[in-house]
Amino acid sequence: MINTKPTKLHIKNIKQYKNLLEKWDMWDFAYFDGNDYYFLTLYDHMLKGISGYLILDYEGNVLPFEKAEVPATALNRFNTMIHGAMQEMVPQMLKNMDPYKEVVSLLTQHKSDLIWRDPELASSIEKVIRYTTHALGISKRTEDIVNTLGHLQNIATKEQGYFNNEILNEMRNECIKYNVMMYEYGLNEFELMDDYEKIIKNLNEKPSDIPSSAQKKIIALLTASIQSNKGALTKTMKVFEDEFKEMNVHIDHANLEQSFDKKMERSRVKAFEEKIGPKIRNPK
């Protein structure tokens, strides 16, 4: 574990670049590029929020601006991915999957009766069962991704006191894996919309030996899925598409991993140019 506490030189230089009404915080982990360790100091203005960054080496020296770009970007990417895991992935991991389980259970239990009454319904029922069964695994797959990111964070911040490009790339791959999974889920749900409607119509219009309580439950669950898809899921998918459009990246459905990787790289460049770079106080 390297020393992550600011030295006297760190503090001296941090205060030199501090402005009035600002607080400073030197992060307690570093980025290691294979040669040296680099720390990020964040300046927080009492009224304006985050107002500046300063990149220092292990001894506490201030880097010239051109040498600060790589560590500044790396440190911000690390923090952003961990923040994203907490804000987006953890809620998904804890999502109640009972409605999905009920859909699979009820359709499986009453599949024969539904198909007997309407043979054309077979493909829709099979598709809903197959896709919903796959969706049931999202919570566990998300948990695995969160645990991997948490493990990498622990190595960097608790065991070593720093991360390198290898850890950063592992984290990036896990984030891409999550985004691909959620995007594919959205595509699958949109594809199921017609199938949901067919099953609901059948249950509403044709006589059945299926217990009334089961019919009502299936209709309620599938109706809730349709409403969710038209509301929250549509907004989520639009965010995905808007981000790709903003980065001028084509979504290749045959290679989503590569598409998301390209989008993340262009987002990194854009973030530095527009948000990080202008706030770096290292001398040019």
Side-chain angles (χ1 to χ4, degrees):
M1 178 77 175
I2 65 168
N3 177 32
T4 60
K5 294 182 179 180
T7 64
K8 291 182 179 180
L9 184 57
H10 279 114
I11 295 173
K12 176 184 175 183
N13 283 327
I14 288 169
K15 290 183 176 179
Q16 180 184 343
Y17 286 85
K18 176 183 170 296
N19 295 329
L20 188 65
L21 300 179
E22 285 183 337
K23 294 181 179 180
W24 62 268
D25 174 30
M26 190 179 97
W27 291 358
D28 58 357
F29 59 93
Y31 164 66
F32 181 58
D33 68 353
N35 295 307
D36 203 349
Y37 301 93
Y38 302 97
F39 291 91
L40 182 146
T41 294
L42 183 150
Y43 294 102
D44 192 351
H45 192 278
M46 292 174 61
L47 302 176
K48 302 175 182 177
I50 297 174
S51 51
Y53 303 107
L54 185 69
I55 305 299
L56 304 163
D57 66 14
Y58 189 69
E59 300 298 328
N61 299 300
V62 179
L63 303 180
F65 182 88
E66 62 270 17
K67 291 186 177 181
E69 177 177 352
V70 171
T73 301
L75 285 154
N76 272 281
R77 285 174 63 203
F78 181 95
N79 198 54
T80 297
M81 285 190 280
I82 294 300
H83 180 75
M86 295 302 297
Q87 294 295 314
E88 299 174 31
M89 297 183 196
V90 170
Q92 183 63 49
M93 179 182 79
L94 299 175
K95 183 177 179 179
N96 180 18
M97 304 305 288
D98 287 347
Y100 296 85
K101 294 176 184 177
E102 288 186 278
V103 167
V104 172
S105 176
L106 287 167
L107 288 181
T108 300
Q109 182 180 350
H110 301 290
K111 178 172 64 174
S112 297
D113 185 74
L114 285 164
I115 294 174
W116 179 80
R117 290 187 303 143
D118 189 350
E120 293 183 359
L121 211 58
S123 62
S124 290
I125 294 172
E126 291 292 346
K127 191 194 296 185
V128 172
I129 291 174
R130 185 172 68 256
Y131 281 9
T132 307
T133 299
H134 181 70
L136 274 170
I138 288 178
S139 179
K140 179 60 171 65
R141 292 192 290 275
T142 302
E143 182 179 359
D144 291 342
I145 291 171
V146 169
N147 287 339
T148 298
L149 290 172
H151 174 65
L152 294 170
Q153 180 192 27
N154 189 64
I155 290 174
T157 61
K158 305 297 183 184
E159 297 179 15
Q160 298 182 161
Y162 68 90
F163 67 92
N164 54 19
N165 288 331
E166 182 179 351
I167 287 178
L168 201 62
N169 288 334
E170 284 187 58
M171 293 174 66
R172 178 190 179 102
N173 290 337
E174 291 299 311
C175 290
I176 289 173
K177 187 191 302 182
Y178 174 77
N179 284 321
V180 168
M181 178 177 67
M182 297 311 299
Y183 187 76
E184 287 180 334
Y185 165 77
L187 293 178
N188 289 344
E189 278 296 313
F190 285 161
E191 188 178 331
L192 288 176
M193 293 284 275
D194 287 343
D195 300 297
Y196 291 155
E197 295 282 6
K198 288 177 184 177
I199 296 171
I200 290 171
K201 183 178 180 182
N202 181 284
L203 289 168
N204 279 326
E205 295 181 356
K206 296 190 177 183
S208 171
D209 292 333
I210 300 174
S212 175
S213 58
Q215 289 191 59
K216 291 179 180 178
K217 189 64 175 178
I218 294 171
I219 291 171
L221 288 167
L222 298 186
T223 299
S225 292
I226 291 171
Q227 292 173 343
S228 177
N229 291 350
K230 289 180 177 179
L233 185 59
T234 295
K235 292 178 181 178
T236 298
M237 294 299 281
K238 187 176 186 304
V239 170
F240 274 126
E241 291 166 3
D242 287 347
E243 288 177 348
F244 274 98
K245 188 179 297 182
E246 184 181 0
M247 294 301 113
N248 196 27
V249 175
H250 168 69
I251 307 177
D252 181 1
H253 288 186
N255 197 342
L256 287 173
E257 289 83 0
Q258 187 180 65
S259 297
F260 274 96
D261 184 61
K262 186 181 292 185
K263 181 182 76 70
M264 284 185 72
E265 177 58 24
R266 293 193 180 177
S267 296
R268 179 195 68 78
V269 173
K270 183 179 176 67
F272 182 83
E273 292 176 347
E274 297 182 358
K275 298 179 180 179
I276 301 171
K279 291 184 178 180
I280 292 178
R281 295 181 180 175
N282 294 67
K284 295 183 179 180

